Amino acid sequence: MEKAQEYKYYSTQRPVDIGTFPKDKDNPPIRIENYEGRIWVEHDTRLAWGELAYARPLSEKELYNYELKPSRDNPDMRRLMDAQAQVVGKWEDTGRVPEAQRLTWFYPDFGSYVVKEFVSPERLAECARGVELQQEATGRKRARQEKAPIAAQLREAGKLAGERQAPAAPKRNAPDRGDR
């Protein structure tokens, strides 16, 4: 029999107790487990007091309000981390990051990058966002360098101004003042 899909979350700030986790009637917790104390979880990437399991994922607002951290084994987190790993892995290859400092490794059988076990989802997301910002800055710099010469820009601006200018007003038949 196939195990039902569950979404696991860690309580990193306090033990799981009344009022420390979301209790939605449509998505009640399947399992609640308090640890003996604060222990390392997720391949030693974070400390937690306990864990909760739900049938459906919690919202970002619920995670923030109750200070819960999602497990990297949740289906939605796996998809997000896989996408981020592709971005970060290519950047690490381009920058020739030493193996000891890499967050990903290349899996040649599938031709894709995989997140290393010791990397937390927050660390990977932070690095992926940094890579995206760096790529945006590079694109803006390249666009500035590829501008046309000033003479060409002035000709283009003059053409645009002429197209946007209102048509000339027709001349009115003014009365001849000499007849008065």
Side-chain angles (χ1 to χ4, degrees):
M1 186 172 154
E2 187 176 320
K3 183 182 174 186
Q5 192 174 41
E6 71 176 30
Y7 293 84
K8 187 166 44 171
Y9 299 93
Y10 294 103
S11 178
T12 58
Q13 302 301 310
R14 65 193 63 75
V16 181
D17 202 355
I18 298 170
T20 63
F21 61 93
K23 291 184 268 186
D24 186 11
K25 63 181 177 184
D26 297 331
N27 190 21
I30 299 171
R31 180 173 41 81
I32 299 173
E33 180 182 344
N34 269 320
Y35 302 141
E36 293 293 322
R38 198 167 184 212
I39 64 169
W40 286 101
V41 294
E42 297 275 312
H43 305 286
D44 295 339
T45 59
R46 62 171 52 121
L47 286 166
W49 290 96
E51 68 182 61
L52 301 126
Y54 290 86
R56 291 193 308 276
L58 297 177
S59 69
E60 288 293 324
K61 184 176 181 184
E62 289 173 319
L63 293 177
Y64 177 79
N65 287 344
Y66 293 98
E67 298 176 318
L68 299 174
K69 300 291 183 188
S71 169
R72 64 185 282 159
D73 296 328
N74 291 351
D76 55 343
M77 284 304 293
R78 269 192 306 230
R79 283 190 296 275
L80 176 64
M81 289 179 73
D82 286 344
Q84 291 170 339
Q86 304 318 304
V87 172
V88 172
K90 288 176 187 170
W91 176 81
E92 288 173 335
D93 282 350
T94 304
R96 295 188 176 139
V97 175
E99 188 62 35
Q101 296 175 354
R102 290 180 66 106
L103 303 179
T104 63
W105 55 275
F106 188 71
Y107 194 53
D109 292 348
F110 295 109
S112 64
Y113 294 91
V114 179
V115 181
K116 289 186 175 180
E117 291 80 25
F118 65 86
V119 178
S120 70
E122 294 84 9
R123 175 72 181 110
L124 183 65
E126 177 186 318
C127 189
R129 180 67 183 137
V131 170
E132 290 169 0
L133 289 173
Q134 189 178 39
Q135 290 171 345
E136 290 172 8
T138 303
R140 285 192 304 272
K141 183 178 179 182
R142 198 172 288 133
R144 279 195 308 268
Q145 291 173 346
E146 294 174 358
K147 280 188 177 176
I150 292 178
Q153 290 179 30
L154 287 172
R155 275 195 302 276
E156 183 66 26
K159 190 185 331 176
L160 285 174
E163 292 172 0
R164 294 179 183 162
Q165 189 175 18
K171 293 191 176 187
R172 295 184 185 174
N173 291 336
D176 188 9
R177 304 228 180 227
D179 293 344
R180 290 191 191 174

